[in-house]
Each structure stands twice: as C-alpha cells, then as structure tokens.
Amino acid sequence: MITGDGSIFIFVYHMNNSKMKEKKKTAWYYKSTAIYFILGFLFLALLTFLVLDSKTFNSLILSHYYPTEKINNTSQEFLDLIRPTIFNIEDFGAAQDREDNSTALQAAIDAAIITSTELRSDNKWDIYVGKVYIPSGKWKFKKGISSSIGVEIFGDGVSKTYLEYNGDSTFLDFSSPNEKFDLKIKNLFINQFDPSSIALYLNQVNRNSGIENVIIEGGGIGIKLLNCYTTSFDSFFIYNASQYGVVGYNSTNTDFKNFKIENCTVGAKFTKSASNSSTGLKFFGGVIQGSRNEGLILEDLTNFSSYSTFFEGNGRNFGKPQIRITSDLNGEFDNDVIAFYTPFITGGFSASKNSTAIEVENTTNFIFKESFIRSNDRITTGVHIGKNVINAEIINSKFSGVEKDFVVQEAKTNLILDSEHRIGRGYGRQFLGLGSESSKINNRHYLESFQGVFGNSDQGKIGIGTYNGKPSIQGFGTGSSFNLISNPKNGDHISAPKGITQMAGVKFGTLITSSNATTTRTARNIFVNTDDGKRTVSIAKEEERIRRELVIKNIGTSSNILQITSANALIENSPNFTLADGEAITIIFDGKQWQIISKLFSISQ
C-alpha cells in the first residue's frame, strides 16, 4: 500500500534491495571457496611429489602400465626405467671406471626387450624397437650379452664410443634360433683382445636389420652370420681378425656397402648353411686388402654379385689367390651365378709373388665384366678358370703386367669374350655356345646340357661353342664334326631366305708344304710344292668316314707330279690320281669312293 507521503513504498524497496545483495554475497562465497579448495589440492599434490623421491613416484605410476614382473632378474632394481624411451647404460649402473659393464649393458637390453615386446603385443606399436644408448667414453666388458629379439644398440660415433671386450666368446650375441626383426648396431668402436672371440653373431636376423658406422678391431671374427635375410651392412671397418673379417652361412638378399676389411687371415667367406644357400648376396663399393690368405671365398652360393669392389694385396701367403670361387658339387647348393662388375684387383705391396688374382671352379656361370687387374710385379695370372666351369664371361676387362690374362683349364668351358655372343641364354636348353658337352646331373639347371645348338652325343649333331678357349663349330659321336644343318626346314626361313644360306668371311683350314702329306681334319685345302721331286698326299681313313670335301693342288713348277692316294677307297674308280704342275682337284667322299667335283688343268695344257 502506498501512503500519501510514500513511506511504505520506500520501506518495501529497501527490504527487496537488501535481499538481493545477500544472495550475491552468498554466491561469491561459494565460488571463492571452490577456487581455494582446488588450489589447496594442487598445493598438496605438489607437496606430496616433493616429499616422495622420484623413484617411488615413478614406480607407483609406471607399475600400472608396464609388466615389471616379467623383466629379467638382471633388471629388477631398475624397474622405474622401463618405459618406451632410450635406455642409457649409465642408468643401469655402467661406469667408465668399472672393469666390467656387462651386467649393466645386459640390463639395459633386457629393459628394451620387455618394453618392445609389450608395445608390440597389442599390434599398435609394431614399429617400436627398444633402444640402448652407450654414451661417449671408454667402456670395458668381460662377458658377452644377448637378445632374443631385435633391439637397437647405438653410441655417439666410432671416434667417441669405444667398447673394450676382454672375453673369449661372443660379445654381442644374437644367435638364438628365433627370428629377429629391426636389429641394429650403430656408431660404435669395438676392440676385441682375445684371438678366438666374435664381436657380432647374428642368427635368423631379418628385415630392416644390420649394422652401420661400426669399427671392429682384433679378435677371431668380426661379424658372423647364420641364415640372415634382407639385412644391410653399411660403412663398417674390420681389421686384424685372426680368422675372418666376415663369415656368412646363408646370407640371402644381404647388402654390404662402403665397407673395408683389412689385415685378416681371410677377409670374407660366404657359404651355405645346413638349410639353405645365399641368394641375392651383393657387394657395393667395398675394399678388401692385406688378407693373409684369400681376400674373398665364395662357396656353394646360388648367386652373388659385386659392384666396384677393390681388392689389394690379398693372398700374402704363397699359393693363395685374392678371390677363390668353388663348390662341393653335391647337387644341392652349387655355385650358379657369380658375377663381378667393374672390380679393381691389384697385387699391391703384399700379395705373394707369382700369384693368381681369381681362381674359379665348379661354377655354372662366372661373369667378369669391365674389370681391371694390375700385377704390381706380383700377380702372374689374372683369372684361372678351373674344372667344371660351364660358362665363363670375361668381357671388356683390362689386364696390366700379368703374364697370362686368363687360363681356361678345360676345353668344354664356354669362354665368352664378347657380350653380343650371349644371345639365347637359357636354362635346361642351350643356345649359341652356352652349352656343355657334359651330361652330368649334379647341376640343377643344366641337366643333359650338351654343347651348343642341337648338341647331342648320340645323334652326332654339332654345337656352336668353344674349343681350347676359341670359338668353334664342333660335334660329338661318330662322323659328327661337319654335320651342320643351318636350315632344317624346306622353303623360306629366317636363317635361309628361299632356302639359301649365305656365309661370309669363312676361313678354311689350309696346309702348305713341300713334303709328303697326310690329311687331317684340321685342313680342307692342301697345297704341295713338288719342285724338289715327286710328292704324295695320303688321304686318311678318318676323312672317308666323315664324308669330307678336299681341295688338293700341285703348286710346283719343275715338272714333278703330285700323287694322291686313299687309304681305303678309290678315287673315281682308280687307286690313285696324279696332278701335274699347277693342277688341282676338288673331291668329296660319297660313302663308297672319292668323287671328283672339279679339276683345274695347268695353263700349258
């Protein structure tokens, strides 16, 4: 109610205004209290963190996420460090003033193993690999370490992280039989002091694995490989190994790049394992030098290729070549294709005197292309092609100072000196000089691989191949040496248009003599000078058997005759035939007697 003077209105207004202020005050109080409470909680949490040591805090938090109960016993005291990160060996107790840091290194690797295993188990972190870091400095080890899965071990570089191994077994041992992926060793210098130790042993290592920027000095073996696939070894240096710089038993699709192996007993050896042979083993730009025995041994490999590899001064011990290629020929893992492209091989200052650069035997295909061999007064023979080599290609290669560029031990080896003559290369059936007269069955691809085109020892057909290291046409069996059919079909053919075969630049074997002569299968033309008296040409029985064509001429000018006789057949129904000065005849054996095809009379007649 409003009075005339308005007093009631003023009272009511003041009451309403007071209630509104009270409500605002109460709301602000609750908001302030909530803010103070939150700040207090955060302060208490911070205080708790400061009171608790970091190890206890990490253990409380991380135990909910990582399987600490599964960690190897050697890492139990370092549970707080198990997390997806880099594991520094110093955090596991390693110190440069310790005589043996093996336990610390193994603990760090075990931590990396567990973390990697758990992260991979849910298929969300399958690309994660536990990493073990070895800082700069000199670190001593007396015992080897091992890992059953792929881990990465790396340092600060070969000039900074130095590992001294005084044990007599394997230092970094990854030889367990299970398959390992993403195994990497990088940026380390490893010095071995026992002549029987092994720096790195890799077994069943696969995909995205290998070593990079590593130096290994001393010991028995630098790197040992067993059944490794698609691995890569880049920028490593191995020297002073008492046995092998590198030895591999089945290294399939494995690449070696920009490496150096020096002053080892054997630089590198690659051979088969009990289960398989190497396929796709490759060298790129490596150096092997100063080996006491062979620089490189290749044995029982499916295929190997080398690109721009440098060999110097290997074979310091007498009788050892720089490269030896061989196989046991058991029919299971024999050398199939061994190829060297643009290698440089030199005797240097340490290869033994009168040595051989390359010795190859028991190999299906040997390729030596655009290569250079320099003697340096030490290499006598460039390439010795020994027994059981089917095809040997030495193409566009240079030899400096050697007495013999190459030696071919067996006439059946197909020596190819021109790349254009490799047309028609294939397996199982041989074409254009790539066959073999051998019918042995110990090679997987060359069963019954007789020499050249239509080569067949039973039917006496010929082959195009080599004889004593030179291209030749030859055959097998009775009466086969000149049984050449260039166009076996009637009518038009690519090799004989309209049934006519054209030959150019043919050189026939020719005998020129002033003595009595007996024909041989090496000469078609026989020229006899009768100026010193009557002479006789005797046609051998073997000529009649192969239906031979002969051209015989008397080139004398003193009126002496040349008499032609046949050991077993008549000549145009006569036991002999005579030629005066300047006369010549062409005869061919028809299976019964010699028929005169043409006769050249002297001009005086």
Side-chain angles (χ1 to χ4, degrees), residues 340-360:
F340 289 84
Y341 301 98
T342 63
F344 189 133
I345 304 175
T346 173
F349 297 101
S350 58
S352 63
K353 292 282 188 177
N354 301 318
S355 63
T356 298
I358 301 177
E359 292 183 0
V360 54

Side-chain angles (χ1 to χ4, degrees), residues 185-198:
I185 312 295
K186 302 166 61 175
N187 304 326
L188 301 172
F189 189 120
I190 302 174
N191 195 352
Q192 304 183 96
F193 290 90
D194 191 286
S196 62
S197 63
I198 301 173

Side-chain angles (χ1 to χ4, degrees), residues 120 151 201 273 545:
R120 289 168 179 257
V151 296
Y201 185 2
S273 68
R545 188 173 64 245

Side-chain angles (χ1 to χ4, degrees), residues 450-457 459-465 472-477 479-486:
F450 294 96
Q451 180 88 24
V453 182
F454 307 123
N456 187 297
S457 61
Q459 299 180 11
K461 299 299 174 61
I462 67 94
I464 300 176
S472 69
I473 298 178
Q474 54 190 286
F476 308 95
S480 67
S481 291
F482 295 87
N483 190 1
L484 171 61
I485 302 174
S486 64

